[in-house]
Amino acid sequence: MILPYIMGAGLLCALATFAAELSVKPKIRHVKFDFKIGLIHLSLFGFIYGFMLLITGKIIFSAMVTFLLYCILIVINNAKYLNLKEPLVFSDYDYFTDAFRFPRLYIPFLGVLGILGIMTAVAVIICGFCIDPSKVDRFTDAVTFLTVMGIEMGSLLVLWCTRDIKNLNTFNIGEDLNNMGFAVFLWSYFLAYLEKPEVKSPFESLIVGHEHTDANVLSEKAEDKTADVSELSPEGNKDLPNLIAIQSESFFDPREWNQNIKEEVLKDYDAIRSESLMCGKMKVPAWGANTIRTEFSFLTGIAPEDMKGHRFSPYQISSTSWKIVSFVNYLKSRGYHTVCIHPYHSGFYHRDVIFKKWQFDEFLDIRSFSQADRFGPYICDSAIADRMIDLCDEWNGRKPLFIFMITMENHGPLNLEIISDEEVQGYFKERGSDDFRELAIYLRHLSNENDMLKKLTGNFREKNYPVSMAFYGDHVPILPKTYACLGEPEGTVPYFIWNGNLKSGEGRTLLYGDIQELPILWLKSIFNFSY
């Protein structure tokens, strides 16, 4: 009979997936592993195995594919953990398609061994399909058909009856992974991902005249151009300052972490920060990548933990029918012309869809720049600053302007760029080792960002129109060789709020907090309202 072969191959496959979890990074301790979690694990792979068997009719091939697909997930997980100190989560599925659309941003982080491992698994799958002799007639043979469908239906029934496993989620990734194991952890986060967040933005209550309006219609009502903006400025709309928010790619001040870096790398940044209205450090929900986590919290004022299953990729839910009021909606209700400048593809992270919902009037993406604007692989910060200055000149005297600038020059992988030995040593007080080459490349881009800030503030002073600028980093950079030598930085990022010809109040204030608090602090510092 064929039944023992089908069941035996499935059981061996399931046992192999249990063994594969020993290679998952970080190491899983299975703190709360019990019968229920083990049954869910078996059902997940039982369903995949049964599905492959139903499609191909090949027993050995179906078991092998089920196991190798899991191994591929583990390889990708380990590569992510190595670079970002975070295991794979369900919402990372977007990165699988993005890896093909934007390979330079992702493929290098897999490493040579990771790429070879995935290629080997794919080759084995193809070869296995061609040579596997264990084909069964799963449609005309009643026993085979009932066995395969029994595996499928039984697995689905178990997964349905145990769907409350999502209640174990703390959304502390390390804790949840240790509690459930890798496969059940991914499944539990998938179940949480299906639920829409029940959260409100603080900007809902700030939009004039709509304090009690439902979030689903607030964005449309925020378009009302007759909103009373005099609440924000005694002189009315004409004297509202231009607001410039700069989200700096991979920005942190490495001089605090490595005393060998020359102070002049960020000398103008230091000067601007010293005359800022407010500065300090912010805790951000990203480390090394995942810019959109920081970006979402800044633009909505929502804490990451409030997003629960969507905290790891909040733009996925934001690009659907789910609506949330943003900082931009609020500024639109006050009569601002709103612009995003980001020198990359507007469709990346679904920004083209989301930013329309959030009422950005313009989105200047990679198409607004030329090859001459590049420094290294990406558009340089100076070119973005030039576009910003042009916009400020264009709208001066017409409407107050909000510009959200997302830089790109600092983006990795930095180790793919070339730098001379002479230039490397130019950034350090004392000669460093070869392991600091990627840090030197980062410092080169940081120096360019310093020049960009000098250009912007110099222009704002010269033009003498009211302006306020909020600057912050989205996360620390990925510098694996440097971190191996010096240890990892704490992960917080610097910020400052700098006002042009506005009054600076009582002088510079040092404040530390979370990134979602920054937009409210910024508005309070300018318009002097309470929240």
Side-chain angles (χ1 to χ4, degrees):
M1 288 184 65
I2 200 69
L3 180 60
Y5 294 100
I6 293 175
M7 300 303 293
L11 183 60
L12 286 174
C13 171
L15 292 175
T17 59
F18 275 117
E21 294 211 347
L22 296 174
S23 63
V24 172
K25 295 180 180 178
K27 188 175 179 61
I28 302 173
R29 296 195 300 270
H30 291 290
V31 174
K32 293 186 178 179
F33 189 85
D34 55 17
F35 176 77
K36 180 178 179 179
I37 290 175
L39 189 61
I40 294 172
H41 182 106
L42 288 173
S43 299
L44 287 169
F45 292 102
F47 177 80
I48 298 170
Y49 168 65
F51 179 76
M52 293 303 303
L53 190 54
L54 195 64
I55 297 297
T56 67
K58 297 192 173 189
I59 300 174
I60 298 174
F61 173 78
S62 298
M64 181 178 64
V65 166
T66 301
F67 174 68
L68 289 178
L69 287 177
Y70 192 48
C71 290
I72 290 174
L73 281 180
I74 291 174
V75 168
I76 295 171
N77 168 82
N78 292 351
K80 183 187 177 189
Y81 183 76
L82 177 66
N83 288 286
L84 304 182
K85 309 305 173 191
E86 177 184 290
L88 196 69
V89 293
F90 173 78
S91 55
D92 288 336
Y93 70 84
D94 247 6
Y95 295 144
F96 289 92
T97 55
D98 285 342
F100 292 98
R101 296 170 61 205
F102 313 105
R104 196 186 188 282
L105 293 183
Y106 296 99
I107 300 301
F109 294 115
L110 283 174
V112 175
L113 291 178
I115 294 172
L116 288 176
I118 292 173
M119 291 174 64
T120 301
V122 171
V124 170
I125 289 171
I126 294 171
C127 292
F129 180 79
C130 296
I131 65 175
D132 182 10
S134 59
K135 188 172 178 63
V136 294
D137 193 346
R138 69 277 191 203
F139 294 123
T140 58
D141 183 81
V143 174
T144 302
F145 177 76
L146 290 174
T147 301
V148 174
M149 291 307 297
I151 293 172
E152 288 293 89
M153 294 300 103
S155 298
L156 285 175
L157 181 62
V158 169
L159 294 176
W160 173 257
C161 293
T162 58
R163 64 191 184 279
D164 62 343
I165 190 70
K166 65 185 178 184
N167 296 332
L168 287 181
N169 291 334
T170 65
F171 301 108
N172 178 320
I173 296 182
E175 182 178 342
D176 291 337
L177 184 62
N178 276 322
N179 286 343
M180 293 181 274
F182 187 51
V184 181
F185 160 76
L186 290 175
W187 172 249
S188 181
Y189 272 42
F190 161 71
L191 294 174
Y193 182 85
L194 296 178
E195 298 180 343
K196 290 186 177 181
E198 296 181 2
V199 62
K200 286 189 176 183
S201 162
F203 298 109
E204 285 193 35
S205 61
L206 292 179
I207 291 182
V208 177
H210 305 303
E211 288 82 353
H212 304 292
T213 306
D214 190 275
N216 288 330
V217 297
L218 254 179
S219 60
E220 287 84 359
K221 292 198 174 187
E223 289 181 341
D224 179 13
K225 303 301 189 296
T226 63
D228 180 11
V229 297
S230 62
E231 288 192 18
L232 298 183
S233 171
E235 293 77 26
N237 185 49
K238 65 182 178 66
D239 289 326
L240 286 174
N242 287 343
L243 301 181
I244 310 296
I246 302 177
Q247 180 176 277
S248 178
E249 172 62 39
S250 301
F251 184 90
F252 84 120
D253 188 348
R255 298 170 301 176
E256 302 172 359
W257 163 71
N258 182 352
Q259 304 299 319
N260 193 33
I261 297 173
K262 290 182 178 178
E263 294 295 325
E264 53 263 35
V265 170
L266 289 172
K267 62 179 180 179
D268 297 299
Y269 162 81
D270 290 337
I272 296 165
R273 190 171 179 271
S274 69
E275 60 191 36
S276 64
L277 182 70
M278 190 181 300
C279 65
K281 291 184 179 180
M282 286 284 171
K283 182 181 178 182
V284 292
W287 199 101
N290 294 304
T291 295
I292 52 166
R293 298 179 188 176
T294 301
E295 188 174 309
F296 176 84
S297 288
F298 176 80
L299 289 176
T300 64
I302 295 174
E305 55 269 22
D306 293 337
M307 291 295 288
K308 296 187 176 180
H310 295 274
R311 67 180 296 179
F312 306 106
S313 190
Y315 274 9
Q316 289 173 352
I317 185 71
S318 300
S319 65
T320 67
S321 59
W322 182 75
K323 292 186 178 181
I324 197 73
V325 176
S326 73
F327 186 31
V328 190
N329 294 133
Y330 169 71
L331 293 176
K332 280 294 293 180
S333 76
R334 297 319 196 232
Y336 273 81
H337 182 76
T338 56
V339 183
C340 175
I341 308 177
H342 179 44
Y344 205 60
H345 305 278
S346 60
F348 191 45
Y349 287 137
H350 315 289
R351 283 190 179 103
D352 54 342
V353 175
I354 298 164
F355 284 5
K356 284 181 182 177
K357 291 171 58 177
W358 288 351
Q359 295 184 293
F360 275 103
D361 295 310
E362 300 180 57
F363 192 159
L364 305 183
D365 69 351
I366 188 70
R367 294 167 292 184
S368 300
F369 300 86
S370 67
Q371 286 294 324
D373 293 324
R374 290 184 181 272
F375 184 91
Y378 304 110
I379 301 299
C380 66
D381 292 344
S382 179
I384 314 176
D386 289 337
R387 296 295 186 280
M388 181 185 291
I389 290 169
D390 291 342
L391 279 167
C392 290
D393 290 342
E394 177 186 349
W395 286 90
N396 188 28
R398 295 169 60 189
K399 290 182 74 174
L401 189 64
F402 170 65
I403 300 177
F404 183 52
M405 172 177 166
I406 309 169
T407 72
M408 196 68 190
E409 185 183 326
N410 282 351
H411 205 293
L414 297 168
N415 63 313
L416 298 184
E417 297 182 44
I418 298 172
I419 189 171
S420 67
D421 291 338
E422 182 180 359
E423 188 178 359
V424 168
Q425 300 310 320
Y427 293 111
F428 299 102
K429 299 172 185 175
E430 298 177 3
R431 187 172 183 83
S433 70
D434 247 11
D435 293 326
F436 292 163
R437 293 186 76 84
E438 63 181 3
L439 175 58
I441 293 169
Y442 176 71
L443 295 175
R444 176 170 65 187
H445 294 304
L446 219 57
S447 179
N448 290 342
E449 187 146 28
N450 175 81
D451 295 341
M452 179 266 288
L453 289 171
K454 179 182 179 182
K455 176 191 286 190
L456 284 176
T457 53
N459 178 269
F460 295 150
R461 288 191 184 100
E462 179 185 345
K463 300 296 175 57
N464 200 35
Y465 40 64
V467 62
S468 180
M469 180 169 66
F471 175 93
Y472 65 93
D474 59 353
H475 52 70
V476 297
I478 299 175
L479 301 168
K481 286 188 177 180
T482 308
Y483 295 159
C485 294
L486 301 175
E488 297 167 358
E490 60 178 349
T492 58
V493 297
Y495 82 95
F496 65 75
I497 294 173
W498 179 90
N499 290 351
N501 63 352
L502 294 176
K503 295 179 180 179
S504 60
E506 298 179 356
R508 185 164 63 110
T509 304
L510 285 169
L511 284 176
Y512 299 83
D514 296 321
I515 189 63
Q516 71 271 11
E517 300 168 0
L518 182 55
I520 297 295
L521 288 174
W522 189 19
L523 291 177
K524 289 171 68 175
S525 72
I526 302 165
F527 303 129
N528 196 29
F529 67 83
S530 60
Y531 175 75

